[in-house]
Amino acid sequence: MTIAENVARVRQRMEAAARRAGRDPRKIRLVAVSKTVDPDRIREAIEAGVDSLGENYVQEAQKKIEELGPKAAWHFIGHLQTNKVKVAVRLFDWVHSVDSLRLAEELNRVAGQQKKVLPVLLQINLGQEKTKFGALQDDTFRLLEQMGSLPGISVKGLMTMPPFFDDPEESRPYFRALRELAGAVSRRKIAGVSMEELSMGMSNDFETAIEEGATLVRVGTAIFGARPHK
Ligand SMILES: *Cc1c(COP(=O)(O)O)cnc(C)c1O
């Protein structure tokens, strides 16, 4: 299968999942996760219509973004260290993985310097896994109230990465929990915070995530094939 065929297949599956859930497929964006993928193969995805790319590491992404540039929107989806924020804000259009007030404040400060307003999502570690980043669910309201007051970032929603399961049905309760949490946040009407985006679902479970309300799915392997092990 070529990358173009994979993209077409993923889009068909996204549309079918949206229809099953009675949702408008146009409200769901595919973020093709291109970590470890070289620029030529990323270009193939762009030529196949991919307009959003996801990267996990600032340094790795830098070369690709400088080469491929504004042909796509670049989404940062990995753990962001505060010492990489300056470069990240310059390179990326979105950050899905804000997981602390300290990081939000640093993004705000640097975005202000670069005269930008950066769209961000708060990453929630719903599984409370020690090996995963993300804020704890109990801290959601407190963090969002503080983030909403920062003018350099625009809080657009939530992101999560559940524990890995072979059976995507096992991810469903996590996706549902994230949607319900976003609903609770919306009802609180926090100044400066909107909950229009839910970033959830990967190659193994993006259809389930769409059925549960995902607006951004982050799909790597199903588009670019298996990644080399580290
Ligand atoms: C690597 C990665 C993905 C894509 O995973 P696949 O299983 O290859 O689709 C999505 N989200 C995050 C945060 C990732 O690190």
Side-chain angles (χ1 to χ4, degrees):
M1 295 275 272
T2 65
I3 288 171
E5 285 166 338
N6 289 342
V7 169
R9 180 81 191 112
V10 166
R11 286 207 187 281
Q12 280 168 7
R13 290 170 57 192
M14 287 174 63
E15 279 194 40
R19 291 232 173 70
R20 279 198 296 281
R23 299 185 56 202
D24 179 352
R26 290 168 305 182
K27 299 270 161 68
I28 305 157
R29 259 182 287 180
L30 172 62
V31 178
V33 176
S34 50
K35 62 181 174 224
T36 79
V37 179
D38 60 45
D40 286 343
R41 295 170 65 232
I42 299 175
R43 199 174 280 113
E44 270 182 68
I46 294 171
E47 278 160 13
V50 163
D51 61 6
S52 302
L53 291 157
E55 287 279 344
N56 292 57
Y57 305 99
V58 173
Q59 245 166 328
E60 182 195 329
Q62 183 164 5
K63 293 185 217 94
K64 302 179 192 179
I65 298 177
E66 282 166 358
E67 184 172 333
L68 298 165
K71 292 195 180 84
W74 294 87
H75 295 238
F76 190 80
I77 63 171
H79 178 63
L80 186 53
Q81 291 166 308
T82 45
N83 63 354
K84 300 274 166 59
V85 163
K86 208 170 162 182
V87 185
V89 171
R90 180 166 60 78
L91 294 173
F92 286 92
D93 304 292
W94 282 79
V95 173
H96 289 219
S97 44
V98 177
D99 58 2
S100 69
L101 183 61
R102 183 160 168 261
L103 176 58
E105 286 173 340
E106 187 60 8
L107 288 165
N108 172 61
R109 192 180 69 77
V110 172
Q113 283 173 349
Q114 298 184 18
K115 306 207 170 358
K116 281 187 179 171
V117 179
L118 184 72
V120 302
L121 308 175
L122 176 63
Q123 179 177 359
I124 308 289
N125 184 0
L126 287 172
Q128 301 195 12
E129 291 172 278
K130 296 234 162 45
T131 56
K132 287 219 175 100
F133 292 100
L136 295 177
Q137 181 164 356
D138 287 349
D139 294 334
T140 307
F141 292 113
R142 179 182 61 80
L143 283 169
L144 290 174
E145 270 155 20
Q146 292 165 320
M147 287 166 68
S149 71
L150 302 174
I153 60 175
S154 173
V155 184
K156 298 284 193 194
L158 303 178
M159 182 271 228
T160 200
M161 199 171 162
F164 180 83
F165 300 106
D166 286 322
D167 177 3
E169 276 309 308
E170 294 191 56
S171 304
R172 190 182 295 278
Y174 293 90
F175 296 147
R176 188 168 293 169
L178 196 73
R179 184 190 68 212
E180 285 169 358
L181 184 58
V185 171
S186 295
R187 287 191 292 281
R188 235 226 234 159
K189 300 200 194 313
I190 302 173
V193 171
S194 93
M195 285 287 119
E196 63 208 76
E197 306 289 349
L198 284 179
S199 169
M200 56 189 196
M202 313 190 348
S203 292
N204 194 47
D205 54 16
F206 67 87
E207 290 149 303
T208 313
I210 288 170
E211 288 167 11
E212 295 299 332
T215 64
L216 292 157
V217 290
R218 310 179 308 266
V219 179
T221 313
I223 291 174
F224 296 109
R227 287 182 291 275
H229 285 286
K230 277 205 179 159

